[in-house]
């Protein structure tokens, strides 16, 4: 594993500590890496009105996009799951909005087990702006 990739995994793991998960007690952390190498951390942020909860992936993406970022190189997602964590459908759709189909997404589970996927593998035949 490259030094940079190890750092991104650590950033995603560190984010877990800030997860706001009083209801599920299921923390998730994310590290979104821009083409320029800048990183944005994301956590899941829950709400007493459960449906308003936001996933770690979308937090990271919205933070970066709201700072003007548009070009992304990689997303790392970390969770305390036995298998590498699987992002939810809503997050996959948001990934398809902002990421290239071949962009790598690194999924990390407990014990550091990782799985490398692309945006297109996570959401094949996705609905995008080109369909409008
Ligand atoms: N969650 C994420 O933040 N990312 C995922 O990839 C899966 C699920 C959150 C949503 C909720 O706060 C908690 O995990 C349990 O569903």
């Amino acid at each position: 594993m490259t030094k940079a990739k190890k750092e991104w995994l650590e950033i995603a793991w560190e984010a877990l500590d800030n997860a706001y998960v009083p209801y599920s007690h299921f923390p998730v952390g994310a590290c979104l890496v821009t083409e320029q190498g800048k990183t944005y951390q994301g956590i899941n942020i829950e709400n007493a009105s459960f449906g308003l909860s936001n996933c770690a992936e979308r937090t990271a993406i919205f933070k970066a996009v709201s700072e003007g970022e548009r070009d992304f190189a990689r997303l790392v997602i970390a969770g305390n799951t036995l298998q590498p964590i699987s992002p939810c459908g809503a997050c996959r759709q948001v990934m398809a909005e902002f990421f290239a189909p071949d962009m790598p997404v690194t999924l990390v589970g407990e014990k550091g087990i990782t799985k490398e996927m692309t945006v297109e593998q996570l959401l094949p035949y996705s609905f995008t702006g080109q369909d409008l």
Side-chain angles (χ1 to χ4, degrees):
M1 195 185 300
T2 63
K3 188 167 167 255
K5 193 170 167 196
K6 202 165 163 238
E7 272 170 27
W8 300 328
L9 261 65
E10 273 163 21
I11 290 168
W13 276 119
E14 279 168 13
L16 282 171
D17 292 338
N18 291 331
Y20 179 75
V21 288
Y23 307 107
S24 74
H25 305 287
F26 185 85
V28 182
C31 172
L32 178 56
V33 187
T34 70
E35 285 283 8
Q36 302 297 322
K38 194 169 172 190
T39 56
Y40 289 85
Q41 275 182 321
I43 53 163
N44 48 342
I45 304 169
E46 298 184 344
N47 192 282
S49 178
F50 298 159
L52 297 181
S53 300
N54 203 58
C55 292
E57 298 88 322
R58 277 177 288 148
T59 300
I61 295 167
F62 294 156
K63 276 173 72 177
V65 171
S66 70
E67 294 297 316
E69 304 285 1
R70 292 292 185 272
D71 300 317
F72 301 103
R74 180 183 297 271
L75 177 66
V76 179
I77 311 163
N80 294 316
T81 49
L82 198 57
Q83 301 298 325
I85 188 157
S86 175
C88 82
C91 289
R92 293 177 197 218
Q93 179 66 29
V94 174
M95 288 180 210
E97 180 72 28
F98 293 106
F99 302 162
D102 63 349
M103 195 187 97
V105 180
T106 306
L107 312 174
V108 193
E110 63 176 15
K111 295 176 186 155
I113 302 168
T114 66
K115 190 176 175 72
E116 289 287 351
M117 299 198 72
T118 64
V119 172
E120 189 165 30
Q121 284 172 330
L122 286 167
L123 190 64
Y125 193 57
S126 62
F127 180 73
T128 70
Q130 285 167 352
D131 296 303
L132 292 173

